[in-house]
Amino acid sequence: MELVISPTAVSCFKNDWGYNNGDNVRIFVRYVSGGTEPYGFGIMKDDPMDPAALVEAERVTFYMENKDVWFLDSKQLKIDCINGDIVFLVGEA
């Protein structure tokens, strides 16, 4: 599992969402609906307890806990900002 954060996403987190240098951003899997893709990603400010993937980008730490990486198996998760919205792009690692 690989975690990639674009510079545009970091800028969005800092300028639009109010995150600061030294903050920790947890990316987690959550149930969103009973449709064809019932799971999605959530974001919250939190401290790592058992990180499986961790990357620092412009002095902000982004991570996923071990209990959440099952959703990505051996894939790459790229977090980007497109038209002012944070997007999650899953691809091959």
Side-chain angles (χ1 to χ4, degrees):
M1 195 252 132
E2 181 183 7
L3 186 57
V4 177
I5 314 298
S6 76
T8 311
V10 176
S11 178
C12 185
F13 276 105
K14 285 184 168 184
N15 298 326
D16 298 343
W17 290 44
Y19 283 81
N20 298 303
N21 292 343
D23 283 344
N24 297 309
V25 181
R26 178 178 168 208
I27 296 99
F28 59 95
V29 178
R30 64 189 186 116
Y31 180 78
V32 293
S33 74
T36 58
E37 190 60 55
Y39 296 99
F41 294 101
I43 299 169
M44 67 186 289
K45 194 182 291 188
D46 199 5
D47 292 325
M49 294 182 69
D50 185 24
L54 188 139
V55 63
E56 186 174 317
E58 297 180 38
R59 299 180 10 186
V60 177
T61 301
F62 296 84
Y63 72 96
M64 285 187 79
E65 296 283 356
N66 266 313
K67 66 182 180 180
D68 289 318
V69 296
W70 62 269
F71 187 67
L72 294 169
D73 199 12
S74 59
K75 294 185 170 38
Q76 178 191 76
L77 173 62
K78 180 177 182 181
I79 299 175
D80 204 350
C81 182
I82 299 174
N83 297 324
D85 294 324
I86 294 295
V87 294
F88 301 94
L89 307 165
V90 178
E92 297 302 316

